[in-house]
Amino acid sequence: QVQLIQSGAEVKKPGASVKVSCKVSGYILSKLSIHWVRQAPGKGLQWVGGFDPENGETIYAQKFQGRVTMTEDTSTDTAYMELSSLRSDDTAVYYCAIDAHYYDSSGYDYNWFDPWGQGTLVTVSS
Amino acid sequence: SSELTQDPAVSVALGQTVRITCQGDTLRSSYASWYQQKPGEAPVLVIYGKNNRPSGIPDRFSGSSSGNTASLTITGAQAEDEADYYCNSRDSSGDHQRVFGGGTKLTVL
């Protein structure tokens, strides 16, 4: 079965950058669409971005555009999310997840995230 | 971008049925997926598509959709179902972005 293993917790100063990794086990990264979701302490889930196979591009939530970069190393089956110009409100647990997408016969489309990585806590503090 | 709206908190008596809802314009043409999250753990997919359960999810969990509202129903709620539940869907703006609801805290009494 597919598993996602994320890198360990990070502590960064405001203005710095952080790069979180997500290693795919049990499958081939190039056949998957990896997305990133974050969760600030005591808050809900927030989609950050991910690979969209329909247009072959990585898409980012508008809130993060210009500050986030998602890359992949297919030789090691590892995906990365780098967030720059960190602020205190970027303190959160960052999750990677496999995104799947489908259109059904009635014209409805839908996506789902499964499985998820264990999460990486990024703390931004001076 | 689209938004998905959930009630912040819902409670249910042990063994009773509870419905958790998610509203948003994008749900008129996209099904929601639903996630259960317990404290300190990663979210877990419980429902996706019209009404599909991943392997290992009990059949007391079911999903439905009508108009701009998606629902997650737990029939015969158990103590272990106490958790936060989030809905997710694709943005209706056409740029394929994803969006989450704000989450519903389910308390089993």
Side-chain angles (χ1 to χ4, degrees):
Chain A
Q1 66 186 33
V2 184
Q3 287 187 303
L4 303 178
I5 309 299
Q6 297 185 223
S7 49
E10 303 262 12
V11 179
K12 296 292 182 180
K13 293 191 181 302
S17 297
V18 67
K19 192 170 186 177
V20 180
S21 69
C22 172
K23 182 170 176 56
V24 176
S25 172
Y27 209 71
I28 301 170
L29 175 60
S30 60
K31 294 184 181 296
L32 299 172
S33 174
I34 299 292
H35 283 233
W36 294 84
V37 176
R38 78 177 189 180
Q39 186 171 37
K43 302 297 185 182
L45 301 176
Q46 184 175 38
W47 179 75
V48 180
F51 183 72
D52 181 20
E54 289 184 72
N55 60 23
E57 297 178 354
T58 300
I59 53 176
Y60 303 117
Q62 291 173 351
K63 174 183 175 66
F64 301 102
Q65 287 194 8
R67 281 207 304 142
V68 68
T69 304
M70 295 173 185
T71 56
E72 297 180 350
D73 182 345
T74 53
S75 69
T76 60
D77 288 320
T78 303
Y80 298 91
M81 183 213 64
E82 184 169 21
L83 187 62
S84 62
S85 302
L86 289 169
R87 307 185 288 256
S88 58
D89 62 359
D90 290 319
T91 294
V93 175
Y94 289 77
Y95 296 100
C96 60
I98 295 173
D99 176 76
H101 175 243
Y102 187 73
Y103 287 94
D104 75 1
S105 57
S106 64
Y108 271 61
D109 75 334
Y110 52 96
N111 76 286
W112 64 96
F113 297 116
D114 183 55
W116 295 59
Q118 83 276 20
T120 297
L121 174 63
V122 175
T123 302
V124 183
S125 174
S126 55
Chain B
S1 62
S2 297
E3 291 185 351
L4 296 177
T5 301
Q6 298 183 239
D7 291 328
V10 171
S11 62
V12 61
L14 185 67
Q16 297 303 300
T17 296
V18 62
R19 176 174 292 183
I20 297 170
T21 61
C22 173
Q23 288 188 303
D25 287 341
T26 190
L27 298 178
R28 296 186 183 280
S29 57
S30 296
Y31 293 120
S33 52
W34 290 92
Y35 305 85
Q36 176 192 71
Q37 187 181 34
K38 297 180 179 179
E41 298 182 5
V44 173
L45 176 71
V46 294
I47 291 289
Y48 66 100
K50 192 172 185 179
N51 183 19
N52 301 302
R53 278 177 293 105
S55 173
I57 301 301
D59 61 6
R60 62 179 180 271
F61 289 89
S62 63
S64 61
S65 183
S66 178
N68 72 338
T69 301
S71 300
L72 172 69
T73 300
I74 306 174
T75 304
Q78 302 299 303
E80 61 265 32
D81 299 335
E82 184 162 295
D84 294 325
Y85 290 86
Y86 294 91
C87 61
N88 160 254
S89 185
R90 298 221 303 179
D91 194 295
S92 60
S93 64
D95 59 2
H96 301 171
Q97 302 220 345
R98 316 296 198 248
V99 60
F100 283 95
T104 298
K105 168 65 178 175
L106 175 66
T107 300
V108 180
L109 304 171

